[in-house]
Amino acid sequence: KQHYKMLVLGGGTGGIAMSARMKRIMGAENVVVVEPSDTHYYQPIWTLVGAGAKSLSTSGRSTASVMPSGVKWVKSKVREINPDSNTVYVDDGSKITYDYLIVALGLQLHFEKIKGLPEGFEYPRIGSNYSVQTVEKTWKALQNFKEGNAVFSYPNTPIKCGGAPQKIMYLSDAYLRKTGKREKANIIYNTSLPVIFAVKKYADSLWEVVKKRDIQVNLRQNLIEVRPDKQEAVFENLDKPGETKVFEYEMLHVTPPMGPNAVIKGSPLADEAGWLDVDKENLQHKRYPNVFGIGDCTSLPTSKTGAAVAAQSGVLHRTISRVLKKQKPDKKYDGYTSCPLVTSYNTVILAEFDYDGNPLETFPINQAKERRSMYHMKADVMPHLYWHGLLRGLWGGPEPYRKLLHLGMK
Ligand code: FAD
Ligand code: UQ1
């Protein structure tokens, strides 16, 4: 029988960051992490891998190397969570009991909800930056582009990193310009959303970018089928049920539908939609006070990103410290999230905002402008901040720096 004071489910961004922090509070011997994967991926760099600006191998490190030393790693999948008996059942047949539970299981990709996928990825000219298996196919499709439509989709579900479906489009545009093929290309962004970006300040800038680059944006278009043998993508018009449109493509980038982790969805921890039902300010579960959540698996009504996980990790650290001392949580998460909108091989619009969609910018400059400095931050600084800061429980988001940098500015 295995019993731990602190059980962490998932060894992705949130799970590793929190296990490092929990080790600091209670000692490594009291912490266990359940994670089936041998490799831990820094997913944000896949945007640049899909565009040939970074290699896939730079995105992964062994899970063993990111696990805080002394913390127990159970290399298996969680099968069932029973919060009424503080028990988790694992795929290898064992059961683990806990005093406190942190759920960091991420979300699930649903390529299979698009007719013709995932089998369609066996054909060329189609890729997706959203999975390790398909991200290099994006780069192949881009390199093989000769002439025709380059089509980019955005699904009709919540997704992680809401900007990523269009970042690869701007990079593709830049690549085709660099290689002299842009004149033979129609670049088409078909999004399920009624807007180009959820926050108006950045949406205004992005509309300028698409206008300047001659990119076609079609709102409320949802990818429902891929016919890879004919290089056709079928979209439904979400405002006119039953109306579909077929786009021939020379290149297709798919952002798959996403949804809650099935293990959470099938447990008493889920809200109606299947997300982990946590308090939006202190990240404690709404019905089970010894359960906490972080990241993409949660019901937190903000855009799902690693930057959000960073800010959440600082708040959750504080919440759990207080709960362990039988005190009330006091630190509040404001919904901070960030999306470095890569608009070319050397420019980024750095979107940062809170629950209310109000910009919450770290630097005292207008971040809605395309900037080289912010590209450098995304491509070269962020990976270090991730591996050596966030994963070691040392980076709780940029809030202190924002406050410092804005001192005397207002
Ligand atoms: P994850 O890091 O996905 O971890 C979930 C973990 O749970 C995984 O390790 C998985 O193996 C494990 N797991 C799943 N099911 C089980 C189970 N049954 N049992 C045990 N373990 C399980 N964020 C940014 O901040 N900036 C960006 O620029 C950015 N760009 C992105 C671009 C792309 C293409 C993608 C895909 C993501 C991007 N993100 C970005 C988002 C960011 O990577 C995620 O929001 C972040 O990793 C979420 O962390 P998490 O811990 O919630 O989930
Ligand atoms: C961030 O904190 C973070 O986590 C390490 C990211 O994930 C990769 C980000 O993309 C961003 C933009 C931030 C925010 C950090 C700063 C310095 C603005």
Side-chain angles (χ1 to χ4, degrees), residues 9-16 34-37 39-47 76-79 104-109 129-131 160-161 164 167 258 261 263 294-298 304-309 337-342 378 386:
L9 304 183
T13 310
I16 295 296
V34 183
E35 166 62 55
S37 177
T39 311
H40 178 108
Y41 290 100
Y42 176 57
Q43 303 166 40
I45 214 70
W46 290 346
T47 289
S76 186
K77 271 179 97 162
V78 176
R79 184 192 302 162
L105 290 168
L107 53 65
Q108 282 181 217
L109 305 180
N129 290 356
Y130 273 85
S131 84
K160 51 180 155 184
C161 198
K167 298 174 193 177
M258 301 177 205
N261 190 292
V263 172
I294 187 167
D296 295 352
C297 70
T298 65
K304 297 178 183 302
T305 65
V309 169
T337 188
S338 170
C339 192
L341 292 150
V342 181
K378 156 84 187 166
Y386 183 83

Side-chain angles (χ1 to χ4, degrees), residues 3-260:
H3 181 88
Y4 284 87
K5 185 163 182 183
M6 182 62 68
L7 169 56
V8 179
L9 304 183
T13 310
I16 295 296
M18 287 316 297
S19 59
R21 288 172 182 270
M22 294 302 100
K23 173 181 168 179
R24 287 219 292 283
I25 296 185
M26 58 182 64
E29 69 282 5
N30 287 306
V31 183
V32 58
V33 180
V34 183
E35 166 62 55
S37 177
D38 271 319
T39 311
H40 178 108
Y41 290 100
Y42 176 57
Q43 303 166 40
I45 214 70
W46 290 346
T47 289
L48 302 182
V49 175
K54 294 268 178 178
S55 74
L56 183 58
S57 60
T58 66
S59 73
R61 294 192 182 181
S62 73
T63 298
S65 74
V66 298
M67 198 60 67
S69 64
V71 165
K72 165 93 174 156
W73 171 25
V74 174
K75 190 180 173 312
S76 186
K77 271 179 97 162
V78 176
R79 184 192 302 162
E80 191 188 323
I81 310 170
N82 188 338
D84 292 304
S85 60
N86 294 338
T87 306
V88 164
Y89 296 89
V90 177
D91 249 4
D92 66 13
S94 60
K95 86 179 190 187
I96 308 172
T97 54
Y98 58 82
D99 295 332
Y100 299 94
L101 180 70
I102 297 175
V103 185
L105 290 168
L107 53 65
Q108 282 181 217
L109 305 180
H110 290 292
F111 284 111
E112 80 287 352
K113 290 197 173 157
I114 296 165
K115 198 175 165 197
L117 297 183
E119 322 79 75
F121 284 108
E122 284 158 31
Y123 288 77
R125 308 197 182 286
I126 168 172
S128 175
N129 290 356
Y130 273 85
S131 84
V132 66
Q133 293 85 9
T134 55
V135 56
E136 289 181 304
K137 294 177 195 285
T138 306
W139 175 227
K140 280 207 189 85
L142 183 53
Q143 286 173 290
N144 291 334
F145 190 98
K146 291 193 186 70
E147 59 180 310
N149 295 333
V151 179
F152 300 81
S153 76
Y154 187 116
N156 190 22
T157 64
I159 66 169
K160 51 180 155 184
C161 198
Q166 59 186 303
K167 298 174 193 177
I168 184 59
M169 169 175 74
Y170 300 125
L171 288 162
S172 299
D173 169 79
Y175 179 80
L176 295 175
R177 285 178 197 275
K178 197 166 67 183
T179 52
K181 293 186 263 190
R182 183 60 179 91
E183 272 165 20
K184 292 183 179 161
N186 298 309
I187 298 190
I188 302 167
Y189 184 52
N190 284 347
T191 172
S192 294
L193 298 178
V195 291
I196 194 167
F197 196 76
V199 178
K200 185 171 182 301
K201 174 171 182 176
Y202 308 111
D204 290 347
S205 301
L206 293 168
W207 280 118
E208 292 298 319
V209 172
V210 297
K211 224 183 296 164
K212 193 170 66 191
R213 309 270 178 86
D214 194 22
I215 291 169
Q216 188 186 323
V217 178
N218 301 310
L219 304 176
R220 302 291 285 153
Q221 296 290 324
N222 180 37
L223 179 65
I224 54 171
E225 181 179 355
V226 178
R227 301 169 185 152
D229 49 333
K230 297 189 213 149
Q231 292 174 224
E232 288 175 355
V234 185
F235 289 81
E236 65 175 348
N237 183 334
L238 293 170
D239 290 329
K240 294 183 187 153
E243 188 187 297
T244 59
K245 198 170 169 190
V246 178
F247 289 76
E248 259 185 56
Y249 64 82
E250 169 81 355
M251 168 182 178
L252 175 65
H253 180 268
V254 178
T255 299
M258 301 177 205

Side-chain angles (χ1 to χ4, degrees), residues 18 21 294 309-319 331 395-396:
M18 287 316 297
R21 288 172 182 270
I294 187 167
V309 169
Q312 290 162 20
S313 72
V315 175
L316 186 51
H317 185 154
R318 175 80 185 173
T319 292
K331 202 168 171 198
W395 174 248

